Amino acid sequence: MYHKSNPLLVILSVLMSFTAFAGFNDGPYIYPDKNGYRADLICQGKKRTFVIKEHKAIDFCGRSMKLNLVSNAPTETVYSGAFPVVALSDIHGQHALMMQLLKANKIIDQNGNWIFGKGHLVITGDIFDRGSQVTESLWYIKWLENEAAKFGGAVHFLLGNHEVMVLNGDLRYLHKKYEQTASLMNKPFDQLFSKDSVLGQWLRSKNVVIKINNNVFLHGGFHHETLKYDIGLKDINKIFREELVEQELSSKKRSELGQFLHGRKGPIWHRGFFSEEQKAQLAPLLARFSASRFIVGHTSHKTVISRYNGKVIGVDSSIKLGHKGELLFIEEDGYWRADMQGKRTPLFAK
Ligand code: ZN
């Protein structure tokens, strides 16, 4: 028997936690500077810094990594047209699983190139936290946005509560690997996504809600109290974005509407779409935004699911567990869920 506070064991466990990720790779974390860009990265557990002039690819710990470093302006809130749409959510650091899912369903090819033509890919938030491959997904999706646009398609990455938590310094759900990164970079993890970093600038340009044809996509859901405010989807994006990082506001405090939108009844936290008691609130909310359905992540299910004959679709298929996941397909002939083998099942009668 040993005592829990045996100093030798304490030292040993601290040493073990430092060596657990000793050979890990992470990054890059890139900042524009007068020479082009400075890239900080972790290779084999050691911090390295490079200056990059070339936009397209960098050598990342011995392999070539495709990057898009161009800074981004906010994109539109409303889209319409006869293109297919695919959606997934809550990747939570399971980058390899996301790639497998996108490949099996022919959104990208085996090399990660866009093959979905004029289609739109929607990710309804929560790339951050829990898993250990967050940076990989962020850089890949930023790059894929630009690739999709070349074909007339689009990638929409919407903010989830975990993006907003990390940007605001709430690091409770970080994978241990990122605690190591932060310590090697000698700054808090959220500062790796500061507004002068490439990824930080990109995240600060993101929407929290979009509408494609009659479908409204967001991370959590809308509480019926949203109806008290005379705002449309575009205003919601504008205010949400303007008040995204509380410490960056000159008042250091959000407005009343900003607090509502960022609070528990706001679009990134609310779960009411899956509660029977709040079912009656759906119709007025759909009417307010002239929509037929809400498509949301945040509340985990085993598969992509449909409720109330398709008025609500849940696309958080528990990718975070690291075993499997699903996509939602919206095509002319209906709504489908698609699995890791690319097999499609209709979600509800159209
Ligand atoms: Zn969430």
Side-chain angles (χ1 to χ4, degrees):
M1 276 293 278
Y2 59 85
H3 193 264
K4 242 186 170 176
S5 60
N6 180 332
L8 197 66
L9 287 170
V10 172
I11 294 168
L12 201 67
S13 78
V14 169
L15 278 175
M16 278 170 69
S17 73
F18 271 97
T19 51
F21 302 102
F24 78 107
N25 299 337
D26 185 31
Y29 298 91
I30 301 185
Y31 311 85
D33 75 3
K34 57 183 187 316
N35 303 314
Y37 296 88
R38 188 187 89 239
D40 291 339
L41 42 96
I42 310 288
C43 281
Q44 297 294 308
K46 290 200 174 61
K47 185 188 168 190
R48 304 249 186 271
T49 295
F50 293 102
V51 172
I52 312 175
K53 287 190 177 124
E54 179 63 47
H55 270 216
K56 285 173 189 137
I58 67 161
D59 176 76
F60 177 69
C61 309
R63 66 185 168 84
S64 169
M65 183 175 182
K66 294 180 223 170
L67 294 173
N68 169 33
L69 300 179
V70 176
S71 70
N72 305 82
T75 49
E76 295 298 324
T77 299
V78 179
Y79 300 82
S80 58
F83 46 79
V85 180
V86 69
L88 79 161
S89 194
D90 294 70
I91 296 153
H92 282 306
Q94 299 293 339
H95 180 67
L97 195 50
M98 174 188 76
M99 295 299 279
Q100 224 181 315
L101 197 49
L102 294 176
K103 284 174 186 174
N105 286 283
K106 304 202 163 47
I107 308 303
I108 57 174
D109 69 12
Q110 289 306 313
N111 299 316
N113 296 305
W114 181 259
I115 50 170
F116 196 41
K118 292 189 189 325
H120 287 219
L121 165 64
V122 187
I123 299 163
T124 54
D126 280 7
I127 289 179
F128 274 95
D129 283 340
R130 304 190 194 278
S132 65
Q133 293 186 304
V134 171
T135 338
E136 288 85 341
S137 287
L138 294 171
W139 282 117
Y140 177 68
I141 289 161
K142 187 178 190 312
W143 177 81
L144 194 65
E145 273 181 356
N146 199 45
E147 293 301 300
K150 291 178 189 168
F151 295 89
V155 175
H156 308 279
F157 165 40
L158 307 179
L159 295 167
N161 58 311
H162 284 272
E163 278 70 51
V164 179
M165 285 166 82
V166 167
L167 291 176
N168 283 279
D170 182 342
L171 307 176
R172 276 176 293 167
Y173 294 90
L174 274 194
H175 190 279
K176 281 208 165 2
K177 170 181 155 179
Y178 296 111
E179 291 172 9
Q180 297 274 299
T181 293
S183 131
L184 289 164
M185 297 288 185
N186 205 18
K187 53 176 105 170
F189 184 72
D190 50 295
Q191 287 310 305
L192 299 172
F193 301 92
S194 64
K195 60 183 172 198
D196 32 78
S197 68
V198 172
L199 289 178
Q201 193 276 332
W202 179 64
L203 290 164
R204 283 164 181 75
S205 76
K206 291 296 161 212
N207 286 324
V208 71
V209 58
I210 56 166
K211 187 178 171 195
I212 303 180
N213 296 322
N214 54 352
N215 305 295
V216 171
F217 296 82
L218 70 161
H219 181 65
F222 284 123
H223 190 276
H224 61 91
E225 283 178 26
T226 314
L227 297 168
K228 284 198 313 199
Y229 300 93
D230 183 24
I231 42 169
L233 299 177
K234 215 174 160 179
D235 308 318
I236 291 174
N237 278 331
K238 184 170 181 284
I239 295 155
F240 196 92
R241 198 164 33 232
E242 281 171 0
E243 303 195 22
L244 184 59
V245 184
E246 206 158 18
Q247 278 305 308
E248 291 170 7
L249 301 174
S250 53
S251 59
K252 305 280 179 216
K253 206 171 167 338
R254 294 188 177 116
S255 66
E256 192 216 323
L257 180 52
Q259 281 180 43
F260 175 79
L261 292 175
H262 278 273
R264 291 280 153 178
K265 294 174 180 172
I268 59 169
W269 284 101
H270 184 58
R271 293 188 198 271
F273 286 169
F274 298 100
S275 94
E276 283 292 326
E277 311 90 79
Q278 293 186 39
K279 193 174 138 188
Q281 314 294 342
L282 262 179
L285 283 163
L286 286 169
R288 160 67 77 90
F289 302 120
S290 311
S292 307
R293 67 186 51 78
F294 292 112
I295 297 171
V296 297
H298 190 51
T299 305
S300 302
H301 309 277
K302 282 185 187 150
T303 63
V304 166
I305 60 141
S306 155
R307 289 279 158 89
Y308 321 122
N309 198 30
K311 286 194 176 63
V312 172
I313 296 176
V315 289
D316 175 355
S317 59
S318 301
I319 292 174
K320 67 180 176 193
L321 300 178
H323 308 306
K324 59 187 173 66
E326 290 195 344
L327 300 178
L328 164 71
F329 270 94
I330 305 174
E331 301 207 323
E332 236 177 296
D333 56 351
Y335 290 72
W336 308 79
R337 57 187 182 88
D339 69 11
M340 302 287 294
Q341 283 72 44
K343 184 175 151 265
R344 292 194 193 189
T345 313
L347 257 185
F348 55 89
K350 204 186 166 189

